[in-house]
Amino acid sequence: MTSSHKRRLFVDIETFSSADISKCGAFKYMEADDFEILLIAYAWDDGPVHMVDMTKLHTDLAEFTKYQDFRAGLADPNVVKVAHNSAFERAAFARAFDDYQPPEQWHDTMILAAYNGLPMSLDAAGAALQLTDQKIKEGTALISYFCKPCRPTISNGGRTRNLPAHAPDKWARFIEYCRRDVEVCQAIYKRLSRYPVTDFERQVWALDARINERGVLVDMELAQAAIDVDEAFKAEHTEELTRLTGLGNPNSVSQLKGWLETVGLSCESLNKATVSDLRKTATNPTTRRVLELRSLLGKTSTKKYEAMVNAAGADNRVRGLLQYYGAGRTGRWAGRLVQLQNLPQNHLDEIAQVREIVRAKDLDTLELLYDSVPDVLSQLIRTALVAKPGHTFLVCDYAAIEARVIAYLAGEQWRMDVFAEGGDIYCSSASQMFGVPVVKHGVNGHLRQKGKVAELACGYGGGVAALKAFGADKMGLSEEEMQNIVTQWRAASPSIPKLWRDVERAAKQAVKNPGKMFRVGSAAAYWKDADALRCRLPSGRVLTYWGARLDNDGGLCFMGQNQQTRKWEKTSTWGGKLVENIVQAVARSCLAVALVRLDEAGYDIVFHVHDEIIVEAPEGSHWQDVAEIMGEPIDWAPGLLLRGDGYSTPFYMKD
């Protein structure tokens, strides 16, 4: 029986736990001894929502009868279970009922919304779709009242938890809140059913669920030692800063700015760049030392260690680190809890020995060996993620994946020849730009980074500003030199600027002619329906630009979620940006294929970061085997040359 003909069981739950889910994540939240399910709202297909009050389960026959109906549906593999952020419900039922829920039996309206270019949260998705029934706004206050411990006071009799009997009116409203969530979930599912997640993406999503459930081991001794070392370092240097300035709180920006004014230095802020500039101008030794201490104390080096400690379960594994389809424009993954996507790089020599010094909490030795202890701790964050005993990490990433994809989609032959011959595209670009041979770790090797910056900045229509954003000005390049790089890069790869123009033209034509498809070679196909501009990728996956239209000036715009403010607002785009979306989406699809292939080959993937996959394998395993699978051809991208590079390591680090 296909999923389209199966019965659907929509579900939403409300729970209690003394753990703070915002800090520890859902898996640790559910490990708490006092975790329990309070309410279950469920509905069959488009039918009415039934409520199960779990607090009355053993005293009310009607509640127990509904509960049995729900549990029967939950246990039936032929029933499609549907929830918004179903990972929470699945984990809760596994914990409360000892009933593991295979992700293959579930659909998720959060993923369906993201797949259709909408916000991921239930309330924001409902608002964007302008549904008749919206999520009840006071839900946050009701959750705080019933789902979290409360502070004991005289007025509440010293209790630490609010029960239904303490506020019957609030409890009744809470029941309606839970009921409404299922109704919104039903409405979203029905509204977006014309554009369901593809079968392959459902396979990827199910694998993602298992990767998140597997988690990764944390070296808790190292993580806690790093936190302790940082606290000791800050205490020591705050005391020195207090002594030098005489301030009550030298870490206060306003107090320290006032002190600097007394020694003739004025500034608007005390951010990293400002403090660095002030250190260059200060001549007094005491003032220079104060600024140096401010720079050292201003570096946040332990937040991610704290996140690891907070989220690690009883077995010291952190789960739920990845968010499938977290980047709605491309479908790329986003980080959660520890935020793996922005881990600091490490360039320390003898990194294993440095780890041991930190584990020993030897602050004196660290200060003797290094100028900045916070910087050392920051560089060691990756290494707190470790393979379990008897195992090692096989770490492999795609070499220059975006450069390969854009060359392939644009048909830029000389670039494809570089990859076919095993060359380094960053070296080749630098050679063209500077007119000299460039070899990685060899002759003129220092120019490779400039070639890499040009590749990253120029591929999507970027100019001098884009080069600066990637640090070209800090490499000593003048604006004139940067402009020459942009001009030379575009002249050397004319098919890529042509791709920007062709893609923008196709997208605009699709908006002007709803229902008609406009193709851009093998790169993409655009069409506009009643809801959105759609872009079909070579893999068959579709990118969605909700409410796309042409602005008054003829530019292309759509409704999207601002990545900084999270607001649903008008967003402008153009050919270079559309090509960036396509390239990153295709690269992401390549990664998804590799993940599925590695899983089918029996590898235990513990997490992945950007275009890098981390496998936990028995000692003696070879990363080359993983790289070989990653480099295998993909049927929907014939001729795309992929290559995996990697290394083996007992703890996660940058090669």
Side-chain angles (χ1 to χ4, degrees), residues 33-143:
D33 292 338
D34 55 9
F35 170 79
E36 65 173 307
I37 297 175
L38 303 174
L39 295 172
I40 299 174
Y42 74 97
W44 289 101
D45 298 315
D46 295 330
V49 179
H50 305 287
M51 294 300 307
V52 180
D53 186 339
M54 296 291 284
T55 68
K56 297 179 178 179
L57 189 62
H58 301 296
T59 60
D60 189 314
L61 181 59
E63 298 296 332
F64 187 72
T65 301
K66 289 183 291 183
Y67 172 73
Q68 286 183 309
D69 178 48
F70 169 74
R71 288 297 304 274
L74 190 66
D76 188 343
N78 290 313
V79 170
V80 175
K81 277 71 72 170
V82 187
H84 200 86
N85 188 20
S86 62
F88 186 84
E89 274 76 12
R90 291 180 51 252
F93 296 144
R95 168 73 169 85
F97 304 151
D98 193 24
D99 184 9
Y100 179 74
Q101 294 293 307
E104 290 81 1
Q105 296 180 17
W106 286 71
H107 287 184
D108 196 321
T109 50
M110 181 175 76
I111 303 307
L112 186 59
Y115 192 81
N116 279 274
L118 295 164
M120 299 190 85
S121 70
L122 187 65
D123 55 344
L129 287 170
Q130 299 179 328
L131 299 179
T132 302
D133 293 323
Q134 299 281 332
K135 187 178 176 76
I136 294 175
K137 298 298 184 183
E138 63 263 39
T140 301
L142 293 168
I143 287 172

Side-chain angles (χ1 to χ4, degrees), residues 8 27 45 153 187 197 207 243 295 335 548:
R8 293 180 178 84
F27 290 95
D45 298 315
T153 63
V197 177
L207 172 57
R243 187 173 66 253
S295 180

Side-chain angles (χ1 to χ4, degrees), residues 58 189 219 230 266 269 425 453-454 488 579 592 639:
H58 301 296
Y189 193 87
D219 185 337
D230 187 63
S266 180
S269 70
I425 191 64
V453 167
Q488 292 166 0
V579 169

Side-chain angles (χ1 to χ4, degrees), residues 546-623:
W546 199 264
R549 59 183 175 84
L550 296 182
D551 218 335
N552 293 332
D553 60 0
L556 188 63
C557 64
F558 63 98
M559 294 302 294
Q561 192 166 47
N562 186 299
Q563 299 305 300
Q564 278 71 48
T565 66
R566 314 308 296 171
K567 289 183 178 179
W568 182 248
E569 61 188 26
K570 188 181 91 168
T571 305
S572 298
T573 191
W574 65 288
K577 193 67 179 175
L578 291 170
V579 169
E580 180 180 31
N581 291 166
I582 292 170
V583 170
Q584 292 184 350
V586 170
R588 176 266 183 206
S589 291
C590 292
L591 182 77
V593 170
L595 290 169
V596 170
R597 287 175 174 174
L598 287 167
D599 180 67
E600 290 175 343
Y603 286 99
D604 285 344
I605 303 162
V606 289
F607 63 97
H608 48 92
V609 182
H610 301 304
D611 304 309
E612 182 179 70
I613 299 174
I614 297 84
V615 166
E616 188 175 58
E619 290 178 351
S621 301
H622 303 289
W623 66 263

